[in-house]
Amino acid sequence: MSDQEQGDIEVVVGRIGKPHGIRGEVTLDVRTDEPERRFAPGTTLRAEAPAGADRRPSSLTVSRARWHQSTLLVTFEELADRSAAEAARGTVLHATIGHDETPEDPDEFYDHQLVGLDVVDVDGTPLGTVKALVHGSAQDLLTVRTADGRDALVPFVTALVPEVDLEAGRVVVADRPGLVSPFPDDADEARP
């Protein structure tokens, strides 16, 4: 049975940057909230070379990871020297996680945990379902598919999303006109 059949999913956890030193160590563009967990020594990650790149290893095994100021430096068993590290530049790294696995921080969620959840306002009125999560540089955004087929983007911050209840299968949004619910029509505002 394959990983996908068992319900496991693959997530992007980083991208290899420039070499650091002469022994194969590389900088890493971290794309996970759990770098210590994803880049622990002995962890094997699927490696996806950039389009048009020469043949590279299909997987890389972490032998060492350390922080240097605010940059994660990683040494992989398969990258023995600076030349190999330079050749791996731009490689995207993927980790396989169990469908039922959760982040260590109880206030964090994987995308697949949120997609498909019902979205309700603070009074429990249905607003739609979570269609996707958009990762932005400033904050993440929930894409909410409304009952009338519109997609609304909701900043995934506590002030606007005060509750995520995975067991109940719902996300509570502090809705206001123009966020998920549309602005009232001018004609509706003119009525007494």
Side-chain angles (χ1 to χ4, degrees), residues 1 3 35 41 50 52-54 67 79-80 92 96 126 140 147:
M1 187 179 270
D3 287 343
D54 292 337
W67 289 97
L79 306 179
V92 176
T96 301
D140 295 334

Side-chain angles (χ1 to χ4, degrees), residues 48-54 56 87-92:
E48 179 185 352
D54 292 337
R56 299 187 188 165
R89 195 173 191 166
T91 299
V92 176

Side-chain angles (χ1 to χ4, degrees), residues 95-110:
T96 301
I97 61 172
H99 195 279
D100 59 348
E101 189 175 328
T102 58
E104 291 175 354
D105 184 340
D107 292 329
E108 292 180 359
F109 306 94
Y110 293 129

